C-alpha cells in the first residue's frame, strides 16, 4: 500500500484513479503496446493528412489524431510540424496503430503534474519540470520528489509534521483494513481492477493490483456473501432497463459494437435493441479477456450492474458467443427493433404531385435507410449530379440529416464526418467514382474501424451505365439508395437496396429535387418548412402550380425562384467535384445572410450574361440538316463553344434547344468523340445507340449518359456516326 504521488491518497499503485485523469505523461517506451489507454501524453506534430494529424508520442511511437476527434475543422488548426500538443491514447490496435483523442487541455500547466511513463522501470516519476528529472529518482529507482504545486495540495503535508504523519498512518491503516475486508468480494474486486490499475507500462509488474486479506473473519464473511450471490440466477434484462437493476446480477444479449483494452480490464461495448452499455471483464491487469470475442459478434453475458462515475457498467462474470439459430434470433430481434425505430410515419407530400403521391411506400423506405444509418453511426454519402437539380436535391437531404447527426453524436465536427455530399459528372456512377469511394471507405474501416457508409444517389445512378460502380460497392456490402426522376433501369433496381423513381408515365412531371425533398421531409419532419421552395426551383420551365404556390408561401416569388435556380446552376459548374456546403446553404436556405436574395441575384446575373452570349454565338453557327420532313440543328461544339468554361455543353444545349425548338425538331451538338442530343419528342437513347451501332459497327458507339443525352464514338468515325445518327433520329421523330 502506498500514496498517490499527486494527492497523497492511500492507493495500491502509485497514483489514484481520479488523478491519473488529471496527470500528463511523458512516454519513454519504444513500442506502441507499452502505451496505456485513456492516459494523456505529451506529443509533437509529425505531419498532416486529409483524415487527421500524425503525432509522435516519445521517440519511437506515432499515433493518428483523426479529424473526427478534433473540436474544430482540420484546416482551421494552427499547428505546425514539431509543435508540442497534448493528446489522449484512445486505442492501441493489434497491428501497432495508435488512435489518439483530442485534449481540451493544450497547456502543460493545465494538468495536475507531469509523470514519466517508463516501461523499463515499471513506474512513474512526478516531475516539477524537465530540469528536475535527474533529481526525481532515488538510489533504488523509486520516485521521492514531488512538485511544489502538487505538494501544496497533498493532505500528507501540513505545518504540523507529527500530526500529519499520524493522520496519514491512520488513513492508510483504515484503507488497508477496508480493502482486505472486501478483498474477496466481487464488487470491491471490480473496483480494484479498474480503479487502481498501476501507472507503469503495460508490461511492468506494477500493473498488477495486489490485495491482502486480514483475518479469517473477513474471509468467512465474504465467502458467505459470495455463496448467497451465486445462488441467485441472473435476471434477463434489457440494457435500457439497467437503471432498475443496479447491484443485481443480470443476463444480457446483444451485439458487440466495440472492444477496448485498458490497463486493467477488457471493456466490451454491448448493444441491444434498447441501448448500449460497457461490460468490463478481467483476467489480469492489461490482459485481454475473452480473446475469441470480436466486434460484430452476438453474445450472451452475465454480470453485476454497477455505477461508476455516474455511468452504468456491467462487471462480467460469464460470456458466451452465440452461434447458428441463437445468433440469428438475437440478430433479427435487433434488426427489427432498429427498423421500427428508424421507420418514419408517412407524411403529406410537400405539394400536390401525382408522381410523389404514387411513391409513398418508396419514400418511407428510402427515409428509413437514411435514418437507420444515422442511428447506427454509419456515414451517409450523397452522390448527386453536378447540376442545379442534383445540388438542390442533395441539399434537401443534407438539411434533413444534419440535425439528426448532430443529435446522435454531440460532437462539433460530426456533421462533416458522418454526412458528405460528393457531386458526380453526368449523373453516371462509373468505375472511377466507385473506385475512389471504395478506396476511401476501406481505408477508413481499416484505420478507424468506421462502418461502411450508406450511399444515396440523387439525380444519378438510375441507368445501366452505373451498374459496374454499384457492383463494386456490393462486393463489400455497402448499402445504397437511388432517388432519380427517370424511370430507373430494372437492373439497377435489382442491385441497390431502395429506389425512389416515378413510373414511366409520370417521369416528365417531376424532378429529382421534388422526390428528394419529400424523402427529406420523411427523414426529418422538423425541416419541412425549409424545403417548401426547393421543388419549384428545380424546374427550368413549366413549374407545376402547386409547387409555385408552395414556394410563394415560403417567400419565393417567380423572380426569386428563377434567380436561385440560375445561381445554383452557375456554382454547380465551378469546382464541380466539391460540395461547396456553406456556399450552397447560403444560397438555398439563407442561413448566414439576411439578404440572400441579393447573393442569388448577383450570381444569377453572371449566369444570364454568360449563357445569353454563348447561346447567341451558337445559334448563329447552327447547321440545319433536313432529313425527310425533320429539321435537325447541328452545332460543332469544338468550333463554336468556349470549352471548359461556363456554360458546359450540356447546359448550353438545353438552353439552345429551348430557344430554337419552334423551328427545329432536334438539336445535335457534336464534338471530337461525343454527341449531345436534344429532341422535341420522347427519345429512348439506348435504342437510338443500338440502331446507330448497327449502321456503323466500327464506330465504337455507346451511351455515355442518358440524363445528359450524350453518346460516345471513335473520333475517326465521326462523319459516319453523324450521318447514321441523323437518319435514325429522323426516323424516331
Amino acid at each position: 500500500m502506498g500514496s498517490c504521488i499527486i494527492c497523497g491518497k492511500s492507493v495500491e499503485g502509485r497514483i489514484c484513479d481520479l488523478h491519473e485523469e488529471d496527470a500528463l505523461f511523458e512516454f519513454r517506451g519504444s513500442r506502441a503496446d507499452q502505451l496505456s489507454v485513456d492516459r494523456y501524453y505529451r506529443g509533437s506534430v509529425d505531419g498532416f493528412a486529409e483524415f487527421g494529424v500524425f503525432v509522435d508520442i516519445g521517440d519511437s511511437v506515432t499515433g493518428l489524431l483523426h479529424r473526427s476527434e478534433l473540436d474544430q475543422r482540420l484546416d482551421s488548426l494552427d499547428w505546425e510540424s514539431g509543435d508540442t500538443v497534448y493528446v489522449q491514447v484512445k486505442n492501441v490496435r493489434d497491428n501497432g496503430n495508435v488512435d489518439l483523442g483530442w485534449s481540451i487541455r493544450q497547456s502543460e500547466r493545465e494538468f495536475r503534474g507531469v509523470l514519466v511513463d517508463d516501461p523499463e522501470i515499471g513506474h512513474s516519476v512526478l516531475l516539477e519540470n524537465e530540469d528536475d528529472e535527474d533529481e526525481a529518482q532515488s538510489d533504488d529507482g523509486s520516485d521521492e520528489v514531488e512538485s511544489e504545486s502538487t505538494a501544496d495540495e497533498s493532505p500528507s503535508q501540513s505545518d504540523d509534521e507529527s500530526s500529519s504523519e499520524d493522520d496519514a498512518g491512520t488513513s492508510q491503516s483504515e484503507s488497508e483494513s477496508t480493502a482486505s475486508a472486501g478483498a474477496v468480494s466481487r464488487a470491491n474486486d471490480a473496483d480494484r481492477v479498474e480503479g487502481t490499475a498501476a501507472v507503469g507500462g503495460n508490461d511492468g509488474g506494477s500493473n498488477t493490483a495486489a490485495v491482502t486479506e486480514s483475518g479469517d473473519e473477513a474471509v468467512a464473511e465474504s465467502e458467505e456473501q459470495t455463496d448467497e450471490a451465486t445462488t441467485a440466477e441472473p435476471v434477463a434484462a434489457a440494457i435500457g432497463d439497467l437503471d432498475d437493476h443496479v447491484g443485481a446480477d443480470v443476463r444480457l444479449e446483444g451485439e458487440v459494437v466495440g472492444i477496448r483494452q485498458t490497463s486493467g480490464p477488457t471493456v466490451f461495448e454491448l448493444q441491444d435493441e434498447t441501448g448500449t452499455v460497457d461490460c468490463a471483464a478481467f483476467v489480469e491487469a492489461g490482459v485481454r479477456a475473452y480473446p475469441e470475442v470480436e466486434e460484430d459478434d452476438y453474445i450472451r453475458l452475465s454480470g453485476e450492474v454497477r455505477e461508476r462515475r455516474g455511468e452504468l457498467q456491467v462487471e462480467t462474470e460469464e460470456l458466451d458467443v452465440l452461434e447458428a439459430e441463437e445468433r440469428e434470433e438475437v440478430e433479427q430481434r435487433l434488426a427489427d427493433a432498429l427498423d421500427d425505430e428508424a421507420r418514419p410515419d408517412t407524411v403529406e407530400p410537400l405539394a400536390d404531385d401525382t408522381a410523389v403521391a404514387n411513391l409513398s411506400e418508396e419514400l418511407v423506405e428510402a427515409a428509413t435507410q437514411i435514418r437507420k444509418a444515422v442511428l447506427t453511426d454509419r456515414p451517409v454519402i450523397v452522390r448527386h449530379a453536378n447540376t442545379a437539380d442534383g445540388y438542390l436535391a442533395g441539399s434537401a437531404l443534407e438539411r434533413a440529416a444534419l440535425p439528426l447527426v448532430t443529435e446522435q453524436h454531440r460532437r462539433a465536427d460530426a456533421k462533416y464526418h458522418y454526412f458528405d455530399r460528393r457531386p458526380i459528372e453526368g449523373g453516371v456512377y462509373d468505375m472511377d467514382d466507385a473506385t475512389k469511394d471504395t478506396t476511401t471507405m476501406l481505408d477508413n474501416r481499416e484505420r478507424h474501424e468506421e462502418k461502411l457508409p450508406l450511399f444515396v444517389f440523387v439525380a444519378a445512378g438510375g441507368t445501366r451505365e452505373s451498374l459496374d460502380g454499384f457492383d463494386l460497392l456490393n462486393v463489400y456490402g455497402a448499402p445504397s439508395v437511388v432517388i432519380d426522376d427517370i424511370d430507373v433501369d430494372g437492373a439497377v433496381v435489382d442491385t441497390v437496396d431502395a429506389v425512389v423513381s416515378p413510373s414511366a408515365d409520370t417521369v416528365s412531371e417531376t424532378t429529382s429535387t421534388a422526390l428528394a425533398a419529400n424523402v427529406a421531409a420523411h427523414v426529418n419532419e422538423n425541416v419541412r418548412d425549409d424545403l417548401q421552395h426547393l421543388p419549384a426551383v428545380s424546374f427550368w420551365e413549366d413549374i407545376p402550380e402547386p409547387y409555385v404556390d408552395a414556394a410563394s408561401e415560403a417567400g419565393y416569388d417567380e423572380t426569386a425562384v428563377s434567380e436561385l435556380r440560375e445561381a445554383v446552376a452557375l456554382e454547380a459548374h465551378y469546382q464541380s467535384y466539391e460540395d461547396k456546403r456553406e456556399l450552397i446553404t447560403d444560397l438555398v436556405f439563407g442561413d448566414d445572410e439576411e439578404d440572400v436574395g441579393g447573393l442569388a441575384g448577383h450570381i444569377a446575373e453572371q449566369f444570364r450574361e454568360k449563357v445569353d452570349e454563348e447561346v447567341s454565338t451558337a445559334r448563329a453557327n447552327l447547321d440545319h440538316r433536313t432529313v425527310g420532313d425533320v429539321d435537325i440543328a447541328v452545332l460543332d461544339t469544338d468550333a463554336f463553344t468556349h470549352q471548359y468554361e461556363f456554360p458546359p455543353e450540356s447546359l448550353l444545349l438545353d438552353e439552345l434547344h429551348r430557344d430554337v425548338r419552334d423551328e427545329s425538331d432536334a438539336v445535335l451538338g457534336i464534338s471530337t468523340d461525343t454527341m449531345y442530343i436534344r429532341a422535341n419528342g420522347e427519345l429512348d437513347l439506348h435504342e437510338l445507340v443500338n440502331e446507330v451501332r448497327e449502321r456503323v459497327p466500327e464506330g465504337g458507339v455507346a451511351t455515355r449518359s442518358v440524363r445528359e443525352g450524350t453518346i460516345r464514338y471513335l473520333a475517326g468515325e465521326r462523319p459516319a456516326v453523324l450521318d447514321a445518327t441523323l437518319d435514325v433520329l429522323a426516323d424516331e421523330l
Side-chain angles (χ1 to χ4, degrees):
M1 201 74 171
S3 300
C4 172
I5 58 181
I6 287 184
C7 68
K9 177 183 177 182
S10 297
V11 293
E12 294 176 354
R14 301 290 295 161
I15 185 171
C16 67
D17 57 347
L18 175 62
H19 285 107
E20 178 159 348
E21 295 180 351
D22 295 330
L24 175 66
F25 288 84
E26 181 179 298
F27 184 57
R28 298 291 178 82
S30 59
R31 304 192 314 272
D33 62 4
Q34 294 172 329
L35 290 166
S36 293
V37 174
D38 293 334
R39 282 189 184 161
Y40 291 93
Y41 286 92
R42 179 195 292 134
S44 63
V45 176
D46 180 60
F48 296 85
E50 179 183 352
F51 43 80
V53 184
F54 290 104
V55 178
D56 290 336
I57 309 296
D59 296 329
S60 306
V61 176
T62 299
L64 174 65
L65 179 61
H66 191 259
R67 64 184 183 184
S68 63
E69 294 289 339
L70 298 172
D71 68 349
Q72 57 187 295
R73 294 290 300 274
L74 181 61
D75 54 14
S76 68
L77 284 176
D78 58 359
W79 292 350
E80 296 181 1
S81 293
D83 283 356
T84 298
V85 294
Y86 303 91
V87 293
Q88 185 182 33
V89 172
K90 306 286 285 188
N91 187 28
V92 179
R93 303 177 187 275
D94 294 338
N95 62 5
N97 288 346
V98 179
D99 297 332
L100 302 176
W102 168 262
S103 170
I104 61 173
R105 293 175 285 192
Q106 286 298 315
S107 173
E108 187 172 306
R109 64 177 178 271
E110 297 179 40
F111 292 89
R112 297 282 294 276
V114 182
L115 298 103
V116 173
D117 187 348
D118 191 339
E120 298 301 323
I121 62 175
H123 62 258
S124 299
V125 181
L126 182 65
L127 301 177
E128 182 175 2
N129 54 50
E130 298 255 339
D131 296 333
D132 291 336
E133 180 184 345
D134 292 337
E135 301 177 11
Q137 298 183 19
S138 64
D139 292 340
D140 62 356
S142 64
D143 73 283
E144 300 291 344
V145 180
E146 296 182 351
S147 69
E148 218 178 43
S149 60
T150 54
D152 290 342
E153 299 172 13
S154 171
S156 64
Q157 302 276 332
S158 72
D159 293 336
D160 188 343
E161 290 291 338
S162 174
S163 175
S164 175
E165 290 173 5
D166 290 344
D167 291 344
T170 301
S171 175
Q172 181 168 334
S173 174
E174 291 175 354
S175 177
E176 290 175 353
S177 175
T178 303
S180 58
V184 203
S185 164
R186 178 183 61 251
N188 284 352
D189 188 58
D191 277 343
R192 172 181 60 78
V193 167
E194 189 166 356
T196 61
V199 298
N202 288 349
D203 55 355
S206 63
N207 273 346
T208 306
V211 182
T212 59
E213 299 181 2
S214 62
D216 295 340
E217 183 177 347
V219 174
E221 181 180 351
S222 65
E223 286 179 347
E224 182 179 349
Q225 294 172 351
T226 302
D227 289 342
E228 292 176 358
T230 55
T231 59
E233 284 292 324
V235 177
I239 291 174
D241 298 330
L242 291 184
D243 282 329
D244 300 331
H245 297 282
V246 175
D249 285 346
V250 297
R251 183 174 66 253
L252 306 174
E253 292 180 339
E255 179 184 7
V256 178
V257 295
I259 302 172
R260 62 183 187 273
Q261 182 61 55
T262 72
S263 55
T266 304
V267 180
F268 298 96
E269 189 177 358
L270 184 65
Q271 182 179 78
D272 70 3
E273 63 269 36
T274 64
T276 304
V277 69
D278 283 347
C279 303
F282 183 73
V283 178
E284 60 179 278
V287 176
R288 173 76 144 83
Y290 300 102
E292 72 279 6
V293 178
E294 300 177 352
E295 286 192 26
D296 300 326
D297 277 347
Y298 286 79
I299 65 172
R300 180 179 295 116
L301 179 148
S302 299
E304 183 182 2
V305 182
R306 301 292 305 278
E307 187 172 352
R308 293 184 53 81
R309 301 173 188 167
E311 298 289 338
L312 292 181
Q313 177 176 289
V314 177
E315 306 296 340
T316 304
E317 297 174 353
E318 185 177 353
L319 187 156
D320 295 306
V321 177
L322 300 179
E323 303 288 352
E325 293 182 1
E326 287 187 318
R327 175 191 169 104
E328 291 177 7
E329 180 182 347
V330 175
E331 188 174 6
Q332 188 61 50
R333 189 178 76 225
L334 267 62
D336 292 343
L338 179 60
D339 278 342
D340 290 342
E341 182 181 3
R343 186 170 298 277
D345 295 330
T346 302
V347 302
E348 288 295 319
L350 296 176
D352 185 11
D353 184 336
T354 303
V356 171
N358 292 337
L359 294 170
S360 59
E361 292 184 9
E362 289 83 353
L363 296 173
V364 169
E365 182 57 34
T368 300
Q369 293 290 334
I370 296 171
R371 288 167 56 87
K372 188 190 303 183
V374 174
L375 290 172
T376 57
D377 301 337
R378 186 187 298 278
V380 178
I381 308 297
V382 174
R383 282 298 221 159
H384 61 78
N386 61 342
T387 61
D389 191 25
Y391 270 89
L392 290 165
S395 296
L397 296 176
E398 181 177 88
R399 192 69 168 182
L402 290 188
L404 303 184
V405 169
T406 302
E407 180 181 342
Q408 177 76 7
H409 296 282
R410 304 285 185 185
R411 215 160 51 188
D413 70 337
K415 62 182 181 180
Y416 297 100
H417 184 61
Y418 288 98
F419 187 96
D420 195 11
R421 283 192 294 103
R422 299 176 188 169
I424 54 179
E425 184 177 357
V428 175
Y429 189 62
D430 58 22
M431 281 298 292
D432 186 57
D433 296 311
T435 299
K436 182 177 180 180
D437 285 342
T438 302
T439 301
T440 301
M441 75 180 186
L442 294 180
D443 184 62
N444 287 339
R445 183 176 69 175
E446 176 65 22
R447 288 175 174 268
H448 318 299
E449 299 181 349
E450 186 177 275
K451 292 184 178 180
L452 298 182
L454 166 69
F455 289 92
V456 182
F457 296 88
V458 187
T463 64
R464 66 192 69 168
E465 287 74 34
S466 296
L467 285 175
D468 288 343
F470 289 142
D471 286 342
L472 182 57
L473 293 182
N474 288 339
V475 167
Y476 293 97
S480 55
V481 174
V482 171
I483 304 172
D484 208 339
D485 61 0
I486 65 173
D487 186 13
V488 171
D489 194 292
V492 172
V493 174
D494 294 338
T495 301
V496 301
D497 295 277
V499 171
V500 178
S501 168
S503 57
D505 59 338
T506 57
V507 162
S508 61
E509 299 176 11
T510 192
T511 64
S512 294
T513 299
L515 298 175
N518 279 281
V519 171
H522 284 76
V523 171
N524 184 356
E525 195 171 4
N526 293 331
V527 301
R528 179 188 180 90
D529 291 344
D530 297 344
L531 309 173
Q532 293 285 351
H533 65 294
L534 294 187
V537 176
S538 64
F539 286 87
W540 282 96
E541 56 184 350
D542 300 329
I543 306 173
E545 194 63 31
Y547 285 132
V548 173
D549 294 340
S552 179
E553 291 176 7
Y556 291 80
D557 60 19
E558 183 179 349
T559 299
V561 166
S562 177
E563 288 180 344
L564 183 51
R565 178 192 312 115
E566 293 172 351
V568 173
L570 182 79
E571 292 301 339
H573 171 74
Y574 294 106
Q575 297 292 304
S576 60
Y577 288 96
E578 298 292 336
D579 63 4
K580 302 177 280 286
R581 178 181 286 187
E582 286 75 18
L583 175 58
I584 296 298
T585 297
D586 283 353
L587 278 172
V588 175
F589 301 109
D591 282 356
D592 300 321
E593 298 241 359
E594 292 184 3
D595 184 15
V596 176
L599 175 62
H602 173 70
I603 298 176
E605 186 176 348
Q606 297 179 43
F607 171 95
R608 188 47 55 195
E609 288 177 358
K610 293 176 182 293
V611 169
D612 287 349
E613 180 181 353
E614 287 292 305
V615 169
S616 177
T617 300
R619 185 182 178 95
N621 290 281
L622 286 175
D623 177 17
H624 289 269
R625 304 284 189 94
T626 301
V627 183
D629 295 329
V630 177
D631 181 88
I632 302 174
V634 180
L635 176 69
D636 187 332
T637 57
D638 284 340
F640 299 109
T641 65
H642 293 94
Q643 296 182 48
Y644 311 114
E645 295 184 11
F646 187 85
E649 287 91 340
S650 58
L651 194 152
L652 173 62
L653 268 294
D654 287 340
E655 289 282 330
L656 187 60
H657 176 238
R658 282 191 283 267
D659 192 55
V660 304
R661 63 187 169 191
D662 289 339
E663 56 196 77
S664 296
D665 298 293
V667 174
L668 194 155
I670 185 166
S671 65
T672 302
D673 62 356
T674 304
M675 190 180 299
Y676 299 82
I677 301 174
R678 302 291 185 268
N680 292 350
E682 293 294 328
L683 188 67
D684 188 324
L685 194 66
H686 288 122
E687 288 188 7
L688 183 144
V689 166
N690 289 336
E691 286 285 338
V692 174
R693 187 188 296 122
E694 288 183 7
R695 301 188 185 200
V696 191
E698 304 300 324
V701 183
T703 306
R704 178 176 178 266
S705 170
V706 170
R707 294 194 62 85
E708 287 193 334
T710 56
I711 64 176
R712 279 186 171 168
Y713 46 85
L714 298 178
E717 295 290 337
R718 169 175 162 165
V721 171
L722 174 58
D723 290 342
T725 302
L726 291 171
D727 290 340
V728 173
L729 191 55
D731 291 342
E732 292 288 332
L733 296 177

